[in-house]
Amino acid sequence: MTFENTLAFAQKLDSEDKLAKYRNEFHFPNSMHTGKPALYFTGNSLGLMPKRVKEYMDIELDDWAKFGVEGHFHARNPWFHYHKFFTEKAARLVGAKPAEVVMMNNLTVNLHLMMVSFYRPTEKRFKIMIEGCAFPSDQYAVASQARLHGFNPEKAVIELVPREGEHTLRPEDILAKIEEHGDELALVMLGGVNYYTGQAFDMKAITEAGHVVGAFVGFDLAHAAGNLLLKLHDWGVDFAVWCTYKYLNSGPGSVSGAFVHERHSGLKDIPRFEGWWGYDEENRFKMTKGFVPMEGAPAWQLSNAPVFNMVAHKASLDLFDEVGMQALRAKSDLLTAYMEFLINGLVDENGNKRFEIITPADQKQRGAQLSILSLSEGKKLFDFITEKGIIADWRNPNVIRVAPVPMYNSFKDVYEFVQILDSY
Ligand SMILES: *Cc1c(COP(=O)(O)O)cnc(C)c1O
């Protein structure tokens, strides 16, 4: 498609957008600076609130008042099974079989639970590979897992860094590094999308390369769930975890997801932290000694479902299931490409681009985020656009992250954002 830098063109794209109506499903906050509805581009940090959350929440509050403990089985959405309302939809969202997914805990907690099972270092095979610029929580998690097993993180944690003068990792370099560390590699644990650069990784190729050298392969899908088309089962990924408050719009600190490939289901000797909610459901309340695991990922559950922490996810996942990731991704590609086109069109008097986008131009290597390098401008540029009513995200040392989110952002939003950028 040939794009145009005009309001009329942006509005034409909106009028052709089959998902445009979903914008109305969300509350848009006002900018604290203009007092008017913000141009919201931070769905990669905290997604907007679906309006239907209130209604879903009232159901659980009313049923708690009405039933007390009996609500576990007699509420309209019986709490005993609450996590199961997600199973089918979460499986579709990440490309898994239903038994391979479970919603529980928070992201970093799930990452640790997965590493208890899938980081099983030996004297010879003890390394964990992560991105050099991984989200801090992931860095702390892997380093502490290495220490837990008596290894020095300096030696055990291998970081992937871009080549000199480049911002993102070359796909072939990732695969080469995996091969290089070979039989010393116990686990490859990367983000599906790097939170800083917005680079999406080829999870299929990375999983294959990891398995070739005998390592487990897991992904942190914090920035990939609800953003990319995922096929975790077919790709053969060993485990994955994701939060639901970013692209999945399920509210601050909301429940997270975990995927465990079916090949690890039902293994008796797998190391795992266990609790009563992972125990075979039929006999759970017999309260007997000796752990009998649930089939699949639910065996990793520890505690009973935190229902109020899950309500917003129920509301949001219903929306995602209605829209479907295929349609969402199609709009996302177009929306991000339009933003990229407009930003790249901003040139100075010498014809040089005023802003450098460090997110890959290749659509297969990105989702709904562009990271704009702000070298010479520093944080001044960010403060300027914030005062003009944009909610975006500043990351040290020098990147502005913007996420045109296909579920609720419009082409007009994107156009207006770039107009403000241009006015700097
Ligand atoms: C957002 C994010 C987190 C946050 O972890 P919580 O446990 O949900 O607080 C962790 N890792 C990555 C890669 C993230 O993007």
Side-chain angles (χ1 to χ4, degrees):
M1 181 178 300
T2 324
F3 292 130
E4 289 169 32
N5 183 359
T6 62
L7 178 59
F9 186 80
Q11 284 169 327
K12 177 173 163 291
L13 288 175
D14 281 328
S15 71
E16 293 164 356
D17 172 16
K18 290 195 186 68
L19 305 189
K21 63 178 180 190
Y22 287 98
R23 183 179 177 84
N24 270 330
E25 291 276 348
F26 293 86
H27 290 291
F28 278 74
N30 281 343
S31 156
M32 297 200 297
H33 297 274
T34 64
K36 289 190 246 155
L39 285 171
Y40 198 81
F41 287 106
T42 336
N44 57 346
S45 182
L46 187 77
L48 291 181
M49 175 180 164
K51 290 177 183 167
R52 53 175 81 179
V53 168
K54 268 219 169 89
E55 182 195 317
Y56 281 54
M57 189 66 90
D58 278 344
I59 291 178
E60 304 314 329
L61 289 171
D62 290 347
D63 284 1
W64 185 22
K66 193 165 149 198
F67 294 111
V69 70
E70 312 282 12
H72 280 301
F73 294 100
H74 296 286
R76 277 164 283 180
N77 305 311
W79 305 323
F80 180 78
H81 298 295
Y82 205 87
H83 58 280
K84 289 200 203 161
F85 295 121
F86 305 122
T87 306
E88 299 276 337
K89 290 170 187 165
R92 276 195 283 279
L93 187 84
V94 298
K97 294 189 175 179
E100 291 174 320
V101 297
V102 64
M103 303 307 295
M104 58 182 189
N105 311 313
N106 282 66
L107 174 59
T108 309
V109 175
N110 285 344
L111 186 56
H112 274 296
L113 292 180
M114 292 294 116
M115 285 198 283
V116 164
S117 298
F118 297 105
Y119 177 57
R120 311 197 307 230
T122 62
E123 211 171 307
K124 173 146 172 54
R125 188 187 283 282
F126 63 96
K127 293 180 177 172
I128 314 178
M129 183 170 289
I130 64 166
E131 305 140 80
C133 196
F135 194 89
S137 198
D138 299 28
Q139 296 178 30
Y140 309 146
V142 297
S144 61
Q145 285 282 335
R147 281 202 310 276
L148 175 73
H149 291 280
F151 293 95
N152 178 354
E154 301 273 325
K155 297 210 176 79
V157 180
I158 307 298
E159 297 193 359
L160 294 164
V161 288
R163 294 187 191 188
E164 189 74 29
E166 298 184 7
H167 297 290
T168 53
L169 293 163
R170 295 197 195 182
E172 65 272 23
D173 288 357
I174 302 175
L175 305 183
K177 261 276 185 276
I178 291 172
E179 206 186 321
E180 180 191 321
H181 290 277
D183 57 10
E184 291 183 347
L185 208 51
L187 174 64
V188 178
M189 207 297 291
L190 303 185
V193 176
N194 180 272
Y195 83 100
Y196 186 76
T197 63
Q199 179 177 22
F201 299 115
D202 184 342
M203 291 180 250
K204 180 168 185 274
I206 290 169
T207 303
E208 281 167 11
H211 287 169
V212 165
V213 302
F216 285 121
V217 181
F219 291 97
D220 180 335
L221 303 176
H223 284 263
N227 179 15
L228 302 184
L229 280 180
L230 300 167
K231 296 194 170 154
L232 298 181
H233 175 83
D234 290 349
W235 295 339
V237 171
D238 292 295
F239 73 86
V241 291
W242 60 97
C243 54
T244 62
Y245 49 81
K246 292 173 180 167
Y247 291 102
L248 290 172
N249 309 323
S250 303
S254 182
V255 68
S256 292
F259 163 92
V260 180
H261 198 279
E262 69 177 357
R263 78 173 84 89
H264 304 297
S265 175
L267 300 181
K268 287 268 179 304
D269 57 349
I270 195 162
R272 177 172 52 212
F273 285 171
E274 292 170 344
W276 74 320
W277 230 249
Y279 190 99
D280 170 37
E281 190 181 294
E282 299 300 315
N283 297 306
R284 186 177 297 152
F285 283 88
K286 292 188 182 148
M287 310 285 204
T288 46
K289 262 184 141 174
F291 187 77
V292 182
M294 297 276 295
E295 277 289 305
W300 273 261
Q301 291 176 113
L302 297 176
S303 302
N304 71 97
V307 169
F308 294 113
N309 192 17
M310 291 177 152
V311 169
H313 188 51
K314 190 167 190 297
S316 179
L317 206 51
D318 283 352
L319 277 171
F320 272 84
D321 208 53
E322 191 179 306
V323 174
M325 279 312 297
Q326 208 91 30
L328 204 62
R329 181 66 184 152
K331 174 177 173 185
S332 182
D333 271 339
L334 199 62
L335 196 62
T336 305
Y338 188 50
M339 182 182 266
E340 178 186 43
F341 163 82
L342 294 178
I343 293 173
N344 283 340
L346 304 180
V347 292
D348 63 18
E349 54 274 21
N350 301 318
N352 297 320
K353 281 184 196 168
R354 291 175 58 201
F355 303 98
E356 183 185 356
I357 297 170
I358 63 169
T359 307
D362 174 9
Q363 292 195 339
K364 287 205 280 304
Q365 288 190 65
R366 71 181 186 202
Q369 174 182 324
L370 293 178
S371 298
I372 305 167
L373 195 63
S374 165
L375 263 188
S376 56
E377 313 297 345
K379 194 157 168 296
K380 255 174 48 201
L381 167 64
F382 178 75
D383 292 340
F384 173 83
I385 63 173
T386 303
E387 273 158 32
K388 296 284 180 191
I390 291 170
I391 301 184
D393 178 85
W394 171 261
R395 285 290 134 153
N396 279 327
N398 50 27
V399 154
I400 296 172
R401 301 186 306 166
V402 271
V405 170
M407 188 65 103
Y408 48 70
N409 278 127
S410 64
F411 291 87
K412 181 165 166 273
D413 285 346
V414 166
Y415 174 81
E416 288 177 347
F417 166 78
V418 181
Q419 286 290 108
I420 290 172
L421 204 57
D422 191 24
S423 73
Y424 176 71

